[in-house]
Amino acid sequence: MGMPSEHQIQVERGDITRQTLDAIVNAANSSLLGGGGVDGAIHRAAGPSLLAECREIRRTTYPNGLPTGEAVATGAGDLPCRWVIHTVGPDRRAGQTDPKLLASCFDSSLAEAVRVGARSMAFPAVSAGVYAWPVEQVAEIAVRAVRSSPLMSDIELVRFVLFDEIVLGAFQSALAS
Ligand code: APR
């Protein structure tokens, strides 16, 4: 597995719900039943079928909720992408400060994308909002996890889609380093 080419990893400012890539990653919580931030935006744009699929996943696969650091794919309802990959970032407010937990969100989401056959995917800045992780740390962990993943031989494009200038800047710096 060689280093991914620099074309494979992009950084862009925007609303992840408008991405037309194969998959978008949702910064969910373990309930998978929606919330604020990007989770709320994705559920609003996807429509009720997404919540119905998440409820079914809770009933069949994750009765106790999706554990932090893990990822699970669903369809995308009315969104322009094909899959939503839900991952649960570590919550700094709850004392979850282990960088490996956050790196695992990116690794697990890549693995889930490969499993369903997605060739392109967009990530938000998982844990950089409500879960209160420092943006620079999220950017560094996210870029390193994607760059070092052997799964990048199966994924053509990973795009970090950031909602505001500060987070965009942090990811641009992380990618440039
Ligand atoms: N597109 C892209 N990024 C977005 C969007 C959007 N439409 N909306 C928000 N963001 C950004 C935020 O600005 C932040 O930089 O996503 C990043 C992650 O923030 P959160 O959505 O708050 O996610 P997180 O910090 O992981 O907290 C997860 O918040 O929304 C609840 O249900 C969710 O309980 C869970 C918690």
Side-chain angles (χ1 to χ4, degrees), residues 135-149:
V135 169
E136 292 74 14
Q137 197 178 4
V138 171
E140 195 258 329
I141 290 167
V143 169
R144 184 191 305 133
V146 171
R147 261 189 182 143
S148 61
S149 171

Side-chain angles (χ1 to χ4, degrees), residues 30-60:
S30 61
S31 78
L32 292 179
L33 301 180
V38 71
D39 195 7
I42 286 174
H43 276 276
R44 268 193 306 281
S49 70
L50 184 60
L51 186 56
E53 275 199 67
C54 289
R55 283 211 174 94
E56 187 59 11
I57 284 175
R58 282 295 312 275
R59 194 180 65 78
T60 56

Side-chain angles (χ1 to χ4, degrees), residues 14-16 27-29 34-39 41 125-131 161 163 167:
D15 175 349
I16 201 166
N29 59 61
V38 71
D39 195 7
V126 177
S127 287
V130 166
Y131 283 176
V161 177
F163 210 41
V167 183

